[in-house]
Amino acid sequence: MREYKLRTSQRPRPLPTGRWTMTQRWNDILYAHWRVPASAIAPFLPDGLQPDLFQGSAWLGVVPLWMDRFSFRGVPTIPGTSSFPELHFRTYVSDQTGTPGIFNLTVDIGSLLATTAARFVFRVPCNWAEMRLNQRTEREFSFYSRRMFVNDPVIFSARYRGLGPTRRLAEIKSGTLEYFFTERYCMFRRNHAGQVVRANIHAVASPLEDAEAEIEQNDLPASVGIQLQDQEPVLHYSRRLAVYIWPAELIELVRRRARIPVQVVPTG
């Protein structure tokens, strides 16, 4: 496989040691985010992770996109996995060392083969879905997803468009909400034993843009029992995002020792 030189100037920390094992490219991405209480997120997280907060709140993200250039290092491209739409339903977390990352609550995929591989090989909470992503103009898209083989319909339907690059978002600064959403260099998930593993990632992105969207239906939060408050989502768009993924590693849980009560013995 061809070796790629990764642009790393925006990373707050060095690249992981070793070699990345998988790469993929995300295209025409909508980032739609809603503010939620940390207590709404915490029940879905495994031991060792806690909600990462911005201005006192946790955040839920719904991220429709289409993927291509999916490959493993040194492995030929798998037929049927070259290009397909995806829908990520995610939140933002940190582990006990304070390392921030992404935790996917669900991932809907428009390819049955890719869904099967992600579910059984990588233990990602994936669902096969009927999906359509249509380009209407240069930066305007319509996206439809309906989850297959479920008792209750889980549908996400939206039209969205990027508003073009701006000086404000040309270089995202630390401490901003955009930095909180995008500058994350690991993904957490459970392994086959239910333990938390962390896969380090590196992303090379097109400039983030402000966006507009008409979200016609969004069943994702309700499908896991989360009710969104009446609020407008925070919207962004990116044309391209090249993602490089390192092997997952088990994270060590720091167990807090319970205090042993001291028996008071009277004197005298």
Side-chain angles (χ1 to χ4, degrees):
M1 176 177 284
R2 177 184 174 187
E3 294 290 338
Y4 296 91
K5 183 177 180 180
L6 304 186
R7 179 170 58 86
T8 62
S9 58
Q10 84 279 19
R11 288 183 63 95
R13 56 180 64 89
L15 284 172
T17 57
R19 306 170 76 186
W20 56 266
T21 57
M22 183 170 61
T23 183
Q24 52 192 246
R25 187 176 70 171
W26 300 0
N27 306 274
D28 299 315
I29 312 155
L30 173 68
Y31 299 96
H33 287 99
W34 289 264
R35 184 192 301 266
V36 292
S39 58
I41 301 299
F44 299 97
L45 304 182
D47 289 345
L49 299 181
Q50 52 273 333
D52 200 4
L53 308 182
F54 185 86
Q55 294 182 347
S57 295
W59 292 80
L60 282 176
V62 175
V63 184
L65 56 97
W66 64 275
M67 179 189 292
D68 66 352
R69 300 189 181 182
F70 175 87
S71 64
F72 293 93
R73 182 187 290 274
V75 178
T77 301
I78 303 171
T81 63
S82 58
S83 177
F84 47 86
E86 286 194 352
L87 180 62
H88 299 185
F89 180 41
R90 70 192 200 181
T91 190
Y92 302 97
V93 298
S94 61
D95 64 15
Q96 292 176 323
T97 68
T99 301
I102 297 167
F103 185 81
N104 282 312
L105 298 172
T106 61
V107 179
D108 292 336
I109 302 178
S111 162
L112 178 58
L113 184 58
T115 303
T116 303
R119 177 179 285 273
F120 293 104
V121 177
F122 301 107
R123 197 66 178 179
V124 176
C126 290
N127 304 280
W128 182 33
E130 173 195 354
M131 284 189 170
R132 297 188 299 272
L133 192 155
N134 299 315
Q135 184 169 1
R136 307 177 70 89
T137 64
E138 181 185 2
R139 274 183 162 78
E140 184 176 5
F141 306 87
S142 61
F143 187 97
Y144 175 84
S145 172
R146 184 181 187 277
R147 194 172 294 171
M148 306 291 286
F149 305 123
V150 292
N151 293 328
D152 298 319
V154 180
I155 295 172
F156 179 82
S157 178
R159 291 179 58 176
Y160 62 91
R161 68 187 185 100
L163 300 181
T166 62
R167 181 176 297 180
R168 181 180 70 85
L169 295 178
E171 184 174 349
I172 299 172
K173 296 182 179 180
S174 176
T176 64
L177 189 55
E178 290 81 7
Y179 190 96
F180 176 85
F181 291 150
T182 60
E183 296 300 312
R184 293 182 177 265
Y185 296 98
C186 66
M187 300 174 67
F188 296 98
R189 60 177 174 83
R190 294 180 176 90
N191 64 11
H192 290 80
Q195 301 165 304
V196 182
V197 295
R198 177 180 60 217
N200 290 305
I201 61 175
H202 178 67
V204 181
S206 299
L208 196 67
E209 305 176 17
D210 289 317
E212 294 178 345
E214 298 176 9
I215 299 177
E216 299 159 352
Q217 188 168 345
N218 178 16
D219 295 335
L220 293 167
S223 71
V224 297
I226 296 176
Q227 299 298 321
L228 295 180
Q229 299 175 356
D230 186 15
Q231 57 179 299
E232 293 295 322
V234 178
L235 301 171
H236 297 93
Y237 167 83
S238 180
R239 183 175 288 277
R240 299 284 185 268
L241 182 71
V243 182
Y244 301 85
I245 305 174
W246 274 255
E249 56 190 14
L250 188 67
I251 68 170
E252 295 184 4
L253 298 183
V254 178
R255 299 294 185 185
R256 293 185 176 90
R257 293 184 178 180
R259 291 185 177 182
I260 301 175
V262 178
Q263 184 177 3
V264 178
V265 180
T267 60

